[in-house]
Amino acid sequence: MNNTNKNTATLLISAPDRKGLVAVIANFLLQHNANILHADQHQDSQAGLFLMRVEWDLNDFATNEHDFQAAFSPLASEYNMSWKLSFSQQKPQMAIMVSQYEHCLADLLHRYRIGELACDIPLIVGNHENCRALAEFNGIPFYHIPMIKEKKAEIEAKQLALFEQHKIDFIVMARYMQILSGDFIDKYPNKIINIHHSFLPAFDGAKPYHRAHARGVKLIGATAHYATSDLDEGPIIEQEVARISHRDSVEDLIKKGRDLEKIVLSRAVRWHLDSRVLSYHNRTVVFD
Amino acid sequence: MNNTNKNTATLLISAPDRKGLVAVIANFLLQHNANILHADQHQDSQAGLFLMRVEWDLNDFATNEHDFQAAFSPLASEYNMSWKLSFSQQKPQMAIMVSQYEHCLADLLHRYRIGELACDIPLIVGNHENCRALAEFNGIPFYHIPMIKEKKAEIEAKQLALFEQHKIDFIVMARYMQILSGDFIDKYPNKIINIHHSFLPAFDGAKPYHRAHARGVKLIGATAHYATSDLDEGPIIEQEVARISHRDSVEDLIKKGRDLEKIVLSRAVRWHLDSRVLSYHNRTVVFD
Amino acid sequence: MNNTNKNTATLLISAPDRKGLVAVIANFLLQHNANILHADQHQDSQAGLFLMRVEWDLNDFATNEHDFQAAFSPLASEYNMSWKLSFSQQKPQMAIMVSQYEHCLADLLHRYRIGELACDIPLIVGNHENCRALAEFNGIPFYHIPMIKEKKAEIEAKQLALFEQHKIDFIVMARYMQILSGDFIDKYPNKIINIHHSFLPAFDGAKPYHRAHARGVKLIGATAHYATSDLDEGPIIEQEVARISHRDSVEDLIKKGRDLEKIVLSRAVRWHLDSRVLSYHNRTVVFD
Amino acid sequence: MNNTNKNTATLLISAPDRKGLVAVIANFLLQHNANILHADQHQDSQAGLFLMRVEWDLNDFATNEHDFQAAFSPLASEYNMSWKLSFSQQKPQMAIMVSQYEHCLADLLHRYRIGELACDIPLIVGNHENCRALAEFNGIPFYHIPMIKEKKAEIEAKQLALFEQHKIDFIVMARYMQILSGDFIDKYPNKIINIHHSFLPAFDGAKPYHRAHARGVKLIGATAHYATSDLDEGPIIEQEVARISHRDSVEDLIKKGRDLEKIVLSRAVRWHLDSRVLSYHNRTVVFD
């Protein structure tokens, strides 16, 4: 598995655009003997922003994480950079939240098992019992935390405590059919990935397949996005569609949609794990 | 060109669903010595509707159009059928309406010239002058009828008179950037094909590419539909999407969108010409 | 699950084309009080063949399986029909053969578990041990039958005995990395579905992803087909492709290819289960 | 049209990979006051190659073309770079070669007319007369040079003389149905773009649609590649596919294929014009 065995560092940077930023960063890395494997940058000229992802081999690299922080910080301040450093061998801790549908969970766990996802999954939280067997077959603790409308705050506090205890870096809502509170989401900004079962902005909200069928569309879709306090309005990471016809009932749409949801959610999770996604102004850059 | 040389009849039928409809129709055709080339049917069980398209070879067929009508009508009445008969060698008369963008028009005219579209195009109506050269290169009369907001009723009357005079069967709005009045549309029910530059119902109305860019979607689309008095709400005939990325500006979306619009509109026109599209309850069956 | 609860019969027919076949079949079904839910037919004019799929509701149907056979046989003889009757509530017995890669197996078993596949899976045969846990988690007996080149005939006899014992109707090779002998395949004509990891006929044979990478293609694919004694030359049921770029290593192709293989194989299996696939002259009709 | 109005320079570089290349290039550009708009690089670790595309704004740039060459050459030598510099406002001279099918030509000329292609088209060469009207409608001189097998060398000399006279930078074979000699191709290495009507390497050579139909594939494709002396074996720039079914005759494949060919060829031409394509070891990097 190339993802899990490699030994690289990745830097994601956004900064007000100005001349010389590429040179500044390339020189800094060269001074520390980095062998750049991949550098990609993007200018959003409308927003006046410079966005960059650079990945380098750590084998010859002259600096450890701590020294890098110390050395890079003054530069980052000078150029007003926001930046995030990650290491391929420090696996992020990913939590999964589910309800009754298990297709996205099953897909993610299979990918995890065969080494496609370079992360640890310390726990799965479900508001129903029925995904327990699947979780435990994959050796992952399953916490059944039913949702009771009147006790939502309390229940979310319980979930958050679990995530904190397990040092969770980011959360995947694998068809978790509850709406998270704004307070919950604020704890994990751009760190909660949700899958919505339509090509947003079409059919946001409830029952998108039913509404797609009623409207007579010829394509259905799925959208992975970072959750924000505006439901289904967060920055889009990935979308995909599939063709349907007049022969397809709502049940067929749901069935075809499952395949879309799995594909789209797993791409978003992989890209997030690879530090390929940079979110700004309610949109994303996905470096390829 | 298989479309233009073949000699077939096609019957589109919708009726309240009941047992034996396939047999009734197959027997009727057999009695008149029809060699069925293609029969396809669909049940909408929710709507209780039976929908069918059947195409047969006219070479051995025992009946002409007039006699067919006389013979089939009692049957149609008995089973409450709505039906439409068409003949591959009676070319429909198609009008095209355009504004300033010529890509859809250029695409349709090229397909027409090389024999892909089995129709006549007696005229093109534009509210700007700039598509005249293209129309005339293809040997089709071009009528420049500018739109003046205050005189819309008068101008539409002029357009309708032209269409009547040329015995127009159906109209293609090839990025015609004016909204037709309800009265105009009522004259051609399910006979005006429009192309909207988004994957409806997302981004209906004005400036869809700008809004798609602002929302940060990862796919853009185009939708061909029959025009109804509810703008962008008519029955969808075809949709297609293309992938975009953070690198794409609004101008890039417009450029990529042109290819989508051409593909989607031309498919819808071809299917309409082939009597493949049956519209009911604000949706379509597209027989393949 | 609409597939598993419905109570229908499906007839697949191929016959030399002649006038009146649709009427003959429709009348026969009407006489036995069948409510046709879906009828689709296709003429291959080059081959002079008529091909049809018709599905009807069994609730009012006047005949049982035995009587149907007796009543339909004379008609079938008269018109030289090949035909196959199946019932939605008589689940086919499907065997799966696997090697070391478990992604296709995991995908099929998940679909089976959530009711997407209307079949029984009495056993899974693997030439390696490593899919046992997955099989047993899903409650399906796993038989480990290692392949030894010198004893191939003996080993295949053992596999065939198992399949006979479990009354297997058809076999899915879910990335089973052994070549079946002609004798084996002849026992299950058009009843062994294989997945090949390229868009055939490109890259037939070994190591298709390596060769696709070497050739510098921009798309990779997967193909599901019925196995014949000509390796990778059998009738194609389904194909799909995915976009790749210069950034993708062979490992990336393998990873992206897994998703293609799962999608394509599961579609082929579903269509086969739905009696949608009719194979003739080394090609397939897939009725939709 | 953003392509035609912008004022940028683009540098394509390939070099043996070594540490510091990004810094070297970024520093050089910064010293000359370049505002980098877009930098993308790729390492082919197997080939030990570093490949880069960098585009910058010329408005503040301190150097003209001549001085750039003088200043950059020593650096390029030191690092063994192959490099190519282009300017958005120096339009390449593109020749088009055609035979009888006009769909690709019509598509390219339409894109040219509406400003999608940032090039000049000084001439079109056809071995049949029938594209003359289309060429001349677009104001482009058309040369009818029939091919006579026995005089191929002479005829190609005539074509080459025309191209030289018009200072042609690169050639597009828009379904030109003649095989160019190796000598001809050697004059324009990686500068002749051909469209082949299959998803190569499947169905290379003659009559791909007939062979695709005979094989019963479910997808057809088109491939744009640089012509080399090995027919259909040159580096692939772009590929696309479309779905077909058992209903599609060879004529339908040809019709659907036309749309693929237009899309794929026009993408390849645009990317070539944008200096996005870098060819090495019979493969391409297409910078996005």
Side-chain angles (χ1 to χ4, degrees):
Chain A
M1 302 305 110
N2 54 335
N3 275 334
T4 48
N5 289 343
K6 68 180 182 182
N7 186 17
T8 67
T10 301
L11 193 55
L12 279 179
I13 296 171
S14 66
D17 196 14
R18 60 187 261 195
K19 233 170 260 182
L21 275 167
V22 175
V24 160
I25 295 161
N27 288 332
F28 177 87
L29 290 171
L30 183 59
Q31 285 157 19
H32 295 83
N33 208 29
N35 187 19
I36 294 179
L37 297 174
H38 192 147
D40 195 2
Q41 44 95 232
H42 174 64
Q43 264 89 348
D44 185 324
S45 56
Q46 235 178 314
L49 272 180
F50 169 90
L51 307 130
M52 189 177 194
R53 179 187 188 274
V54 55
E55 182 174 3
W56 64 94
D57 199 321
L58 284 173
N59 288 325
D60 301 329
F61 197 51
T63 307
N64 60 26
E65 183 174 358
H66 180 266
D67 292 348
F68 182 95
Q69 304 257 12
F72 192 68
S73 287
L75 209 66
S77 294
E78 187 185 339
Y79 288 87
N80 268 309
M81 297 179 194
S82 303
W83 59 287
K84 185 170 160 279
L85 181 68
S86 57
F87 296 90
S88 65
Q89 302 208 335
Q90 291 176 9
K91 291 189 182 174
Q93 306 300 301
M94 171 171 109
I96 305 179
M97 300 181 82
V98 286
S99 292
Q100 290 183 287
Y101 301 127
E102 68 172 29
H103 55 283
C104 283
L105 178 67
D107 183 72
L108 288 172
L109 293 183
H110 175 69
R111 293 176 194 277
Y112 170 71
R113 198 164 69 232
I114 67 173
E116 273 190 25
L117 303 181
C119 64
D120 293 323
I121 308 180
L123 82 166
I124 295 166
V125 170
N127 61 327
H128 292 89
E129 260 295 345
N130 55 320
C131 290
R132 179 183 295 279
L134 191 58
E136 294 182 347
F137 170 66
N138 286 280
I140 300 171
F142 180 86
Y143 293 83
H144 177 210
I145 306 181
M147 180 51 66
I148 301 149
K149 222 178 165 183
E150 300 72 35
K151 300 190 174 177
K152 186 165 173 170
E154 191 181 320
I155 287 162
E156 286 197 342
K158 202 169 156 188
Q159 294 169 334
L160 287 167
L162 271 173
F163 295 159
E164 203 169 326
Q165 174 192 334
H166 286 90
K167 299 189 196 318
I168 291 304
D169 292 301
F170 76 108
I171 299 162
V172 176
M173 297 170 74
R175 298 298 311 273
Y176 180 65
M177 307 300 276
Q178 299 292 326
I179 297 173
L180 300 178
S181 72
D183 285 348
F184 189 116
I185 290 167
D186 288 346
K187 293 262 181 1
Y188 290 93
N190 288 324
K191 289 176 176 175
I192 302 174
I193 300 177
N194 186 34
I195 179 77
H196 183 77
H197 38 316
S198 81
F199 49 94
L200 291 174
F203 309 120
D204 55 348
K207 293 206 168 284
Y209 292 126
H210 291 78
R211 287 152 62 207
H213 188 264
R215 179 61 187 93
V217 295
K218 300 297 184 185
L219 300 170
I220 55 167
T223 305
H225 64 94
Y226 288 119
T228 61
S229 49
D230 290 324
L231 187 68
D232 299 334
E233 296 284 342
I236 293 173
I237 306 169
E238 173 63 340
Q239 300 185 288
E240 191 58 272
V241 295
R243 189 159 286 277
I244 57 166
S245 84
H246 57 274
R247 303 218 183 279
D248 291 304
S249 64
V250 172
E251 286 69 35
D252 295 323
L253 266 54
I254 290 170
K255 196 195 297 179
K256 291 188 173 181
R258 281 198 290 260
D259 282 339
L260 285 174
E261 295 162 29
K262 290 187 281 189
I263 291 283
V264 169
L265 180 59
S266 67
R267 282 188 201 149
V269 170
R270 257 195 322 224
W271 294 341
H272 182 92
L273 282 171
D274 272 0
S275 294
R276 299 196 173 281
V277 191
L278 218 165
S279 182
Y280 72 99
H281 295 193
N282 209 45
R283 59 200 299 118
T284 63
V285 168
V286 179
F287 292 106
D288 66 357
Chain B
M1 303 302 108
N2 55 334
N3 275 333
T4 50
N5 288 342
K6 68 180 182 182
N7 185 18
T8 66
T10 300
L11 193 54
L12 279 178
I13 296 171
S14 66
D17 196 14
R18 60 188 259 196
K19 235 170 257 184
L21 275 167
V22 175
V24 160
I25 295 160
N27 288 332
F28 177 87
L29 290 172
L30 183 59
Q31 284 157 19
H32 294 84
N33 209 29
N35 187 18
I36 294 180
L37 296 175
H38 192 147
D40 195 2
Q41 44 94 235
H42 174 63
Q43 264 90 346
D44 185 325
S45 56
Q46 234 178 316
L49 271 180
F50 169 89
L51 306 131
M52 189 177 195
R53 179 186 186 273
V54 55
E55 182 174 4
W56 64 94
D57 199 320
L58 284 173
N59 288 324
D60 300 329
F61 197 52
T63 308
N64 60 25
E65 182 174 0
H66 180 266
D67 292 348
F68 182 95
Q69 304 257 11
F72 191 68
S73 288
L75 209 66
S77 295
E78 187 184 340
Y79 288 88
N80 268 311
M81 296 179 195
S82 303
W83 59 288
K84 187 172 159 277
L85 180 68
S86 57
F87 296 90
S88 65
Q89 302 208 336
Q90 290 177 9
K91 291 189 182 174
Q93 307 299 301
M94 170 172 111
I96 305 178
M97 301 182 80
V98 285
S99 292
Q100 291 183 288
Y101 301 127
E102 67 171 30
H103 55 283
C104 283
L105 178 67
D107 182 73
L108 288 172
L109 293 183
H110 175 69
R111 293 176 194 278
Y112 170 71
R113 199 164 69 235
I114 66 173
E116 274 189 24
L117 302 181
C119 64
D120 292 323
I121 308 180
L123 82 165
I124 294 166
V125 170
N127 62 328
H128 292 89
E129 260 296 345
N130 55 322
C131 290
R132 178 182 296 279
L134 190 59
E136 295 183 347
F137 171 66
N138 286 281
I140 299 170
F142 180 86
Y143 294 83
H144 177 210
I145 307 181
M147 180 50 66
I148 301 150
K149 221 179 167 182
E150 300 72 34
K151 299 190 175 179
K152 186 165 174 171
E154 192 181 319
I155 287 163
E156 286 198 342
K158 202 167 156 189
Q159 294 169 334
L160 286 168
L162 271 173
F163 295 159
E164 203 169 325
Q165 176 193 333
H166 286 90
K167 299 187 196 319
I168 291 305
D169 291 301
F170 76 107
I171 299 163
V172 176
M173 298 171 73
R175 297 297 312 273
Y176 180 66
M177 307 299 277
Q178 299 291 327
I179 296 172
L180 300 178
S181 71
D183 285 347
F184 189 115
I185 289 167
D186 288 347
K187 293 264 181 358
Y188 291 92
N190 288 326
K191 289 177 176 173
I192 302 174
I193 299 176
N194 186 35
I195 179 77
H196 183 77
H197 38 317
S198 81
F199 49 93
L200 288 174
F203 309 121
D204 55 348
K207 293 205 169 283
Y209 292 127
H210 290 78
R211 287 153 62 208
H213 188 264
R215 179 62 185 92
V217 296
K218 300 298 184 185
L219 300 169
I220 55 168
T223 305
H225 64 94
Y226 288 119
T228 62
S229 49
D230 290 325
L231 187 68
D232 299 336
E233 296 284 342
I236 293 172
I237 306 169
E238 172 64 339
Q239 301 186 288
E240 191 58 272
V241 295
R243 191 158 285 277
I244 58 167
S245 84
H246 58 274
R247 303 217 184 281
D248 291 302
S249 63
V250 172
E251 286 69 36
D252 295 322
L253 267 54
I254 291 170
K255 197 195 297 178
K256 291 188 173 181
R258 281 198 289 261
D259 282 339
L260 284 175
E261 296 163 29
K262 291 187 281 188
I263 290 284
V264 169
L265 180 58
S266 67
R267 281 187 200 149
V269 170
R270 258 197 319 226
W271 294 341
H272 182 92
L273 282 171
D274 272 0
S275 295
R276 298 196 174 281
V277 191
L278 219 166
S279 182
Y280 72 99
H281 296 193
N282 210 44
R283 58 200 301 117
T284 63
V285 169
V286 179
F287 292 106
D288 65 358
Chain C
M1 304 306 112
N2 55 333
N3 275 332
T4 49
N5 289 342
K6 69 180 181 181
N7 185 18
T8 67
T10 301
L11 192 55
L12 278 179
I13 297 171
S14 67
D17 196 14
R18 61 187 261 197
K19 232 169 259 182
L21 276 166
V22 175
V24 159
I25 295 160
N27 288 331
F28 177 87
L29 290 172
L30 183 58
Q31 283 157 19
H32 295 83
N33 208 29
N35 187 18
I36 295 180
L37 296 175
H38 192 148
D40 195 2
Q41 45 94 235
H42 174 63
Q43 264 89 347
D44 184 325
S45 56
Q46 236 179 314
L49 273 180
F50 168 90
L51 307 130
M52 189 176 194
R53 178 186 187 275
V54 55
E55 182 174 4
W56 64 95
D57 199 321
L58 284 173
N59 288 324
D60 300 329
F61 197 50
T63 307
N64 61 25
E65 182 173 1
H66 181 266
D67 293 347
F68 182 95
Q69 303 257 11
F72 192 67
S73 288
L75 208 68
S77 295
E78 186 184 340
Y79 288 89
N80 269 310
M81 297 179 195
S82 304
W83 58 288
K84 186 171 160 277
L85 181 68
S86 57
F87 295 90
S88 65
Q89 301 208 336
Q90 291 176 9
K91 292 190 181 175
Q93 305 299 301
M94 172 172 109
I96 305 179
M97 301 180 81
V98 285
S99 292
Q100 290 183 288
Y101 301 128
E102 67 170 30
H103 55 284
C104 283
L105 178 67
D107 183 73
L108 288 173
L109 293 183
H110 175 70
R111 292 176 194 278
Y112 170 70
R113 199 164 68 234
I114 65 173
E116 274 191 24
L117 303 181
C119 63
D120 292 324
I121 307 180
L123 81 166
I124 295 166
V125 170
N127 62 329
H128 292 89
E129 260 295 345
N130 55 322
C131 290
R132 179 182 296 278
L134 191 58
E136 295 183 346
F137 170 66
N138 286 280
I140 299 170
F142 179 86
Y143 293 83
H144 178 210
I145 306 180
M147 180 50 67
I148 302 148
K149 221 180 166 180
E150 300 73 33
K151 300 191 175 177
K152 185 166 176 170
E154 191 181 319
I155 287 163
E156 287 197 342
K158 202 168 155 188
Q159 294 169 333
L160 286 167
L162 270 173
F163 295 159
E164 203 168 326
Q165 175 193 332
H166 287 90
K167 300 188 195 320
I168 291 304
D169 291 300
F170 76 107
I171 298 162
V172 176
M173 298 170 72
R175 297 298 309 275
Y176 181 65
M177 306 301 275
Q178 300 291 326
I179 297 172
L180 300 178
S181 71
D183 285 348
F184 189 116
I185 290 167
D186 289 346
K187 293 263 180 0
Y188 291 92
N190 288 324
K191 290 176 175 174
I192 302 174
I193 300 177
N194 186 34
I195 179 77
H196 183 78
H197 39 317
S198 81
F199 49 95
L200 290 174
F203 310 120
D204 55 347
K207 293 206 168 283
Y209 292 127
H210 291 78
R211 288 152 63 209
H213 188 263
R215 178 63 186 91
V217 296
K218 300 298 184 186
L219 299 170
I220 56 168
T223 304
H225 64 94
Y226 288 119
T228 62
S229 50
D230 290 325
L231 187 68
D232 298 336
E233 295 285 342
I236 293 172
I237 306 169
E238 173 62 340
Q239 301 186 289
E240 191 57 271
V241 295
R243 189 158 286 277
I244 57 166
S245 85
H246 57 273
R247 303 219 185 277
D248 290 303
S249 64
V250 173
E251 285 70 36
D252 294 323
L253 267 54
I254 291 170
K255 196 195 298 177
K256 290 188 174 182
R258 281 198 289 261
D259 282 337
L260 285 174
E261 296 162 29
K262 290 186 282 189
I263 289 284
V264 169
L265 180 58
S266 67
R267 282 187 201 150
V269 170
R270 257 195 322 221
W271 294 340
H272 182 92
L273 282 171
D274 272 359
S275 294
R276 299 195 174 281
V277 191
L278 218 164
S279 182
Y280 72 98
H281 296 192
N282 210 43
R283 59 199 300 116
T284 63
V285 169
V286 179
F287 292 105
D288 65 358
Chain D
M1 305 304 110
N2 55 334
N3 275 334
T4 49
N5 289 343
K6 69 181 182 182
N7 186 18
T8 67
T10 301
L11 193 55
L12 278 178
I13 296 171
S14 66
D17 195 15
R18 59 186 262 197
K19 235 170 257 183
L21 275 168
V22 174
V24 159
I25 294 160
N27 288 332
F28 177 87
L29 290 172
L30 183 59
Q31 283 157 20
H32 294 85
N33 209 30
N35 187 20
I36 295 180
L37 297 174
H38 192 147
D40 195 2
Q41 43 95 236
H42 174 64
Q43 263 89 348
D44 184 325
S45 56
Q46 235 179 315
L49 272 180
F50 168 90
L51 306 130
M52 189 177 194
R53 178 185 187 274
V54 55
E55 183 174 3
W56 65 93
D57 199 320
L58 283 173
N59 288 324
D60 300 329
F61 197 51
T63 308
N64 61 25
E65 181 174 1
H66 180 266
D67 293 348
F68 182 95
Q69 304 257 10
F72 192 68
S73 288
L75 208 68
S77 296
E78 187 184 340
Y79 288 88
N80 269 309
M81 296 179 196
S82 302
W83 58 288
K84 185 170 159 279
L85 182 67
S86 58
F87 296 91
S88 65
Q89 301 209 334
Q90 290 176 10
K91 290 189 182 175
Q93 307 298 301
M94 172 171 110
I96 305 179
M97 301 181 80
V98 285
S99 292
Q100 290 183 289
Y101 301 128
E102 68 170 31
H103 55 283
C104 282
L105 179 66
D107 183 73
L108 288 172
L109 294 182
H110 175 70
R111 292 176 194 277
Y112 170 71
R113 198 163 71 234
I114 65 173
E116 273 190 24
L117 303 181
C119 64
D120 292 324
I121 308 180
L123 81 165
I124 295 166
V125 170
N127 62 328
H128 292 88
E129 260 295 344
N130 55 322
C131 290
R132 179 181 295 280
L134 190 59
E136 295 183 346
F137 170 66
N138 286 281
I140 299 170
F142 180 85
Y143 293 83
H144 178 210
I145 306 180
M147 180 50 67
I148 301 149
K149 220 179 167 181
E150 300 73 34
K151 299 191 175 176
K152 184 165 175 171
E154 192 181 318
I155 287 162
E156 286 197 340
K158 201 167 155 188
Q159 294 169 334
L160 286 167
L162 270 172
F163 294 158
E164 203 169 326
Q165 175 193 331
H166 286 91
K167 301 188 193 321
I168 291 304
D169 292 301
F170 77 107
I171 299 162
V172 176
M173 298 171 73
R175 297 296 310 274
Y176 180 66
M177 307 301 276
Q178 300 291 326
I179 297 172
L180 300 178
S181 71
D183 286 348
F184 189 115
I185 289 167
D186 288 347
K187 294 262 180 3
Y188 291 92
N190 287 326
K191 289 176 176 173
I192 303 173
I193 299 175
N194 186 35
I195 179 77
H196 183 78
H197 37 318
S198 81
F199 49 93
L200 289 174
F203 309 121
D204 56 348
K207 292 204 169 288
Y209 292 126
H210 290 78
R211 287 153 62 209
H213 188 263
R215 179 61 186 93
V217 295
K218 301 297 184 186
L219 299 169
I220 56 168
T223 305
H225 64 95
Y226 288 119
T228 62
S229 49
D230 290 325
L231 187 68
D232 299 335
E233 296 283 343
I236 293 172
I237 307 168
E238 172 63 340
Q239 300 187 288
E240 192 57 272
V241 296
R243 189 158 285 277
I244 57 167
S245 84
H246 57 275
R247 303 217 184 280
D248 291 302
S249 63
V250 172
E251 287 69 35
D252 294 323
L253 266 54
I254 291 170
K255 196 195 296 179
K256 291 189 172 181
R258 282 198 289 261
D259 282 338
L260 285 174
E261 296 163 28
K262 290 187 282 189
I263 289 283
V264 169
L265 180 59
S266 68
R267 281 187 201 149
V269 170
R270 257 196 320 223
W271 294 341
H272 182 93
L273 283 171
D274 271 0
S275 294
R276 299 196 173 281
V277 191
L278 219 165
S279 181
Y280 73 98
H281 296 192
N282 209 45
R283 59 199 300 117
T284 63
V285 169
V286 180
F287 293 106
D288 66 358

